[in-house]
Amino acid sequence: MVILLIVLALGIGLLIFMFSEAHRTYVEERTIHLSRFPENQQPLRLFFISDIHKRTVSSKLLEKIPGEVDFVIIGGDLLEGGVPLLRARQNIQKLKTLKTLGPVYFVWGNNDYEVSQMQLKQMLKDEGVIALKNEHVFAISKYGTTCHFAGVDDLSEGQINLKRAVSSIEPEQLTILLSHNPDVIYYVDEESKVDLILSGHTHGGQIRLFNFGMYELGGLKEKRKIPLFVSNGYGTTSLPLRLQARAQTHYITLKRKE
C-alpha cells in the first residue's frame, strides 16, 4: 500500500511538473552568422514565435525580450480548432506592441487550417499582418538592413510552391525562408536562394523520455548545407504537457559570418 501511494504521488508530481513545463515563459537568445549577410549593414533582430496553439501571449513574455526587434515572425499554428479567433487577434496585438517599426509576418501551419480560412485571413489583414503563402516580400529595417522573407504554405494541409515563393529574388540578396514544417528542407536546393530557414511544428517532441521523442529537439542545424532553425514552440498540441522539450520563443540576431 505504501509503495502504491509513493508511485501515485510521484506520478502526480510528474504531471504537475510537465504541466508547468508546458506553460513556461522562456525567450532564447540566439546569434546566427550568415555568409551572405549584407556587408556594412546592421544586424537584424527577429522575434520568432511558433506553435502558439491554445496559449495566450503573456505580458511577462514580452518583458523578457532583451532588446529592440526589427521584425516579428509567427511560424505557423497561431491557433487550432476550438480556439476563439479573438484570442489569436489579442495575441497578435500583444506582439505588435514590441519595440519594432517592422510588420509582423506569418506563415500557415497545419492546425491553422482547422478554423475558418475566410475569418482567419480577414483577421490577419485587419491587424496588418503580412501573411506569406508561397510568396516573398522585400523587408528593410529601420537601420537600413535589407532582406527577403519568403513564406511557403503548410506541407501537409496546404499546397507548397517553393519555386513560386522565391521567384524573382536576385541570387545575391539575403533570403530567409519561413516554413512551419522543417521538412521543407527536402524541397530546397541551390537554386532556391535560401540563406536560412525558420520552422516550428515538431514541438521538440513535446514529451521525451530519456531524451528520446517523436521528433528531434529544436535548435540550429545544418542540412543540405543550409542553416535550419527549428523551435520547440510556445504552445502544445493534444496534451498540455511537456517533458525535456521546454516551451520557447526566440530573440534571434542575424549577422555576417566573417
Side-chain angles (χ1 to χ4, degrees), residues 16-255:
I16 293 172
F17 173 77
M18 292 169 70
F19 183 83
S20 175
E21 283 290 280
H23 294 83
R24 288 187 64 178
T25 301
Y26 178 66
V27 180
E28 179 198 46
E29 293 186 57
R30 176 74 66 132
T31 299
I32 301 177
H33 294 87
L34 302 175
S35 58
R36 296 195 322 119
F37 193 89
E39 289 188 78
N40 304 317
Q41 291 197 14
Q42 293 295 313
L44 276 178
R45 298 149 308 173
L46 312 177
F47 180 67
F48 180 49
I49 182 169
S50 184
D51 300 277
I52 298 174
H53 290 282
K54 296 178 181 179
R55 286 194 72 176
T56 297
V57 173
S58 67
S59 299
K60 184 180 178 182
L61 171 65
L62 303 184
E63 291 168 0
K64 288 188 175 184
I65 297 173
E68 285 190 326
V69 174
D70 294 307
F71 304 108
V72 176
I73 310 294
I74 302 174
D77 283 1
L78 170 64
L79 71 175
E80 62 180 49
V83 174
L85 198 64
L86 176 61
R87 187 185 305 170
R89 183 188 293 273
Q90 290 172 338
N91 282 338
I92 287 174
Q93 289 173 346
K94 285 184 180 178
L95 292 172
K96 287 166 60 179
T97 66
L98 293 173
K99 299 175 182 179
T100 174
L101 295 181
V104 175
Y105 295 96
F106 167 81
V107 288
W108 264 261
N110 53 304
N111 292 113
D112 295 313
Y113 279 98
E114 296 175 359
V115 302
S116 166
Q117 293 302 287
M118 182 179 297
Q119 292 179 359
L120 176 57
K121 289 176 183 178
Q122 187 61 52
M123 185 272 287
L124 293 170
K125 182 178 179 181
D126 291 344
E127 293 300 327
V129 174
I130 297 179
L132 298 173
K133 184 178 286 192
N134 300 324
E135 56 194 316
H136 70 266
V137 293
F138 177 76
I140 181 168
S141 75
K142 68 177 182 179
Y143 297 108
T145 304
T146 60
C147 72
H148 280 85
F149 289 112
V152 292
D153 204 355
D154 181 67
L155 269 68
S156 60
E157 299 297 329
Q159 295 181 327
I160 181 174
N161 190 331
L162 178 59
K163 185 175 181 179
R164 177 183 169 193
V166 299
S167 65
S168 76
I169 298 179
E170 296 297 328
E172 69 277 5
Q173 295 176 328
L174 184 71
T175 300
I176 302 167
L177 177 63
L178 313 177
S179 170
H180 177 66
N181 193 324
D183 282 349
V184 74
I185 188 68
Y186 301 111
Y187 292 74
V188 175
D189 55 29
E190 291 183 0
E191 295 181 359
S192 302
K193 318 159 197 172
V194 171
D195 297 286
L196 172 68
I197 302 172
L198 297 179
S199 295
H201 182 60
T202 68
H203 296 210
Q206 190 166 309
I207 297 175
R208 308 177 64 85
L209 295 174
F210 306 106
N211 209 31
F212 290 97
M214 291 182 63
Y215 295 98
E216 290 182 321
L217 276 173
L220 181 64
K221 315 164 193 297
E222 184 165 307
K223 295 189 177 182
R224 307 183 74 182
K225 300 182 180 180
I226 298 172
L228 168 65
F229 186 82
V230 184
S231 174
N232 286 350
Y234 184 61
T236 57
T237 187
S238 299
L239 296 173
L241 304 172
R242 282 183 178 269
L243 183 64
Q244 295 185 319
R246 72 197 308 184
Q248 58 185 193
T249 62
H250 311 273
Y251 183 78
I252 300 173
T253 302
L254 302 182
K255 294 182 176 181

